[in-house]
Amino acid sequence: MTDPTYLAGFGNQHQSEARTGALPVGRNSPQRCAHGLYAELLSGSAFTAPRADNQRTWLYRRQPSVVVGGYRPLPHATWKSGAAQGEAAPPDPLRWGPSQLDVSDGDFVDGLRSYAVNGEPGVGGMTALAFVATRPMGRRALVNADGEMLVVPQQGRLLITTELGRLEVAPGFIALLPRGMAFKVDPLDVPARGYVCENLGAAFRLPELGPIGSNGLANARDFEAPVAWYEDEAPTSAGAYEIVKRHGGQLWRATQPHSPFNVVAWHGNLAPYRYDLSRFMTINTVSFDHPDPSIFTVLTSPSDTPGWANVDFVIFPPRWMVAEDTFRPPWYHRNVMSEFMGLVLGQYDAKPEGFKPGGASLHNSYVPHGPDAEAFDKASGAELKPHKLDATLAFMFETRWPLKPTAWALNDAPLETTYADCWRDLKDNFHA
Ligand SMILES: [Fe+2]
């Protein structure tokens, strides 16, 4: 395939046309659109949301989204959303080995498995999922009316087709897919594996920078939206398209005779994005101690309570460690926020051996955690020279609400039964 080109900038008023003249000039919904297209509005916010929060995009397409058959339930054994679909579980730290690649023969939708859930679809909260995809979605598209999807590839490149165009992402990138927009995710390498945050709350945005100033962390210009692209096919000739819709915490399916990827031109600030995490400008101490891990926030979904995010997407990328007189790995802690972590590649400094790429951990609200005994001993005795943590990429979905593991996560996923043993050898070293 030819690599798609991109439009740079997060939240910008982008515009793109795949056919010259398809974008109307000076108005959004002319009496007759060029090339016989239909105008359709997709809103990401209430009409009257403040200008800084207002998101909407105009689509100029061959047929509007309303041309679709009736929806019927589509069972899915492992994609669960909302606290009501989680299980009661003791407040222990939980960790999983790499999610299995060999048990799945299916596309991205088939291969979604929720580790942990909170909130309620339509109200707020988030879902932490794994995915494995061994097949393209073909003539199948997913529309998540409950939330946006943040895709974190861990193994294998993905081609993501959306109504606004195509995004190619590899491990080390993320893709952000707006709520309500049709897309499909196809593996370019098989099998493809990764993680997804289904964000049921406010749309992800860049965090405020406060005293950091006007540069740093994830810079807006590094987010890339796709250029307009449509499946060039004659009506009905290529067979029916299955539209899979997430609505109310369950899946529904309908068929339509044409591709939903039929948008010839669009303009607006509600767009899918890809972002190369290696462009994250990491800030850390140059004296002693640690800033809180919020310094590594890439994107935040705020809640109605200032500072208490519905979910923050946080990364632990390659970086220099230079702190003096400091225990450099994360401290031991218990937090009100709940932490779901995954590892894209390499080692995570608090768990050098036990936490594997493709694996996951869950430290719920007020569940104590921190470096394992091996990491503690090593860091306590280390000579504090400048040290580069390299070839590593861990991430966290941090949410204000406790997360409930799902039945899959507790019974079928590679849950470690001995995780808490990693702290067993932490001795009482007190000497009076
Ligand atoms: Fe933590």
Side-chain angles (χ1 to χ4, degrees):
M1 59 166 285
T2 3
D3 195 27
T5 48
Y6 298 92
L7 306 164
F10 190 87
N12 290 8
Q13 294 288 346
H14 290 298
Q15 56 181 342
S16 183
E17 57 185 11
R19 183 87 188 266
T20 306
L23 266 178
V25 176
R27 60 207 63 213
N28 294 323
S29 52
Q31 184 182 20
R32 281 188 297 277
C33 293
H35 301 298
L37 298 170
Y38 291 87
E40 181 181 294
L41 176 67
L42 180 63
S43 293
S45 58
F47 292 138
T48 50
R51 190 176 276 267
D53 301 327
N54 211 303
Q55 291 184 307
R56 65 93 177 88
T57 285
W58 280 95
L59 315 170
Y60 302 95
R61 62 194 316 161
R62 293 169 59 169
Q63 279 173 285
S65 303
V66 71
V67 183
V68 62
Y71 282 94
R72 295 207 161 76
L74 174 66
H76 196 300
T78 55
W79 185 359
K80 305 296 175 191
S81 308
Q85 296 186 13
E87 303 291 315
D92 295 319
L94 299 176
R95 190 166 70 186
W96 294 269
S99 59
Q100 305 100 313
L101 293 165
D102 55 348
V103 295
S104 169
D105 176 25
D107 65 21
F108 174 80
V109 174
D110 302 326
L112 283 167
R113 304 180 180 103
S114 300
Y115 282 107
V117 292
N118 68 13
E120 184 181 345
V123 179
M126 60 152 277
T127 315
L129 303 108
F131 74 86
V132 172
T134 57
R135 288 193 264 122
M137 285 173 62
R139 297 187 70 74
R140 191 182 207 199
L142 176 62
V143 179
N144 192 336
D146 288 342
E148 70 183 328
M149 303 279 273
L150 171 67
V151 179
V152 185
Q154 187 272 324
Q155 176 178 319
R157 294 165 304 141
L158 304 171
L159 176 63
I160 303 178
T161 303
T162 77
E163 287 178 84
L164 301 198
R166 294 174 297 171
L167 303 164
E168 188 175 323
V169 291
F173 283 66
I174 54 169
L176 189 61
L177 304 161
R179 181 176 176 178
M181 185 178 288
F183 65 92
K184 59 181 180 178
V185 178
D186 296 333
L188 294 173
D189 306 302
V190 173
R193 177 171 66 187
Y195 308 86
V196 174
C197 177
E198 181 189 33
N199 172 21
L200 306 170
F204 274 118
R205 63 196 64 182
L206 294 169
E208 297 299 333
L209 291 178
I212 293 173
S214 57
N215 299 286
L217 307 188
N219 288 305
R221 71 183 281 252
D222 293 322
F223 285 79
E224 296 174 301
V227 295
W229 179 88
Y230 62 98
E231 281 190 320
D232 193 6
E233 59 187 34
T236 72
S237 67
Y241 237 97
E242 180 184 23
I243 307 297
V244 176
K245 195 161 199 174
R246 190 74 172 168
H247 170 76
Q250 52 186 308
L251 287 178
W252 304 81
R253 71 179 290 272
T255 54
Q256 64 185 38
H258 59 276
S259 169
F261 306 112
N262 64 352
V263 175
V264 179
W266 60 270
H267 75 87
N269 64 347
L270 178 67
Y273 294 102
R274 71 172 193 174
Y275 174 67
D276 178 351
L277 295 167
S278 71
R279 297 185 183 185
F280 185 81
M281 195 268 258
T282 311
I283 289 176
N284 209 337
T285 182
V286 288
S287 57
F288 55 84
D289 283 353
H290 289 250
D292 292 324
S294 45
I295 200 70
F296 301 129
T297 302
V298 181
L299 292 165
T300 184
S301 158
S303 74
D304 291 341
T305 305
W308 287 44
N310 177 66
V311 54
D312 282 334
F313 175 64
V314 174
I315 60 169
F316 303 93
R319 61 200 183 276
W320 281 93
M321 309 291 271
V322 300
E324 297 177 311
D325 186 22
T326 295
F327 181 75
R328 287 182 177 175
W331 6 246
Y332 294 97
H333 57 287
R334 295 172 292 160
N335 292 347
V336 63
M337 304 282 277
S338 297
E339 304 173 13
F340 176 88
M341 284 192 69
L343 185 62
V344 174
L345 65 93
Q347 287 186 336
Y348 176 60
D349 57 332
K351 307 275 169 37
E353 296 302 328
F355 189 34
K356 305 283 189 209
S361 69
L362 174 60
H363 302 123
N364 242 322
S365 187
Y366 290 112
V367 169
H369 57 286
D372 61 23
E374 178 196 355
F376 178 82
D377 287 342
K378 203 170 151 201
S380 303
E383 192 186 348
L384 295 183
K385 294 187 294 201
H387 169 65
K388 180 88 181 279
L389 285 179
D390 223 341
T392 180
L393 183 60
F395 73 86
M396 179 161 68
F397 303 146
E398 187 181 64
T399 171
R400 70 169 299 184
W401 312 112
L403 283 160
K404 284 186 166 181
T406 61
W408 173 78
L410 293 173
N411 304 320
D412 300 317
L415 179 66
E416 295 180 12
T417 53
T418 57
Y419 176 32
D421 292 350
C422 76
W423 294 288
R424 194 181 47 194
D425 293 336
L426 290 169
K427 298 185 175 53
D428 181 347
N429 298 321
F430 179 70
H431 46 84

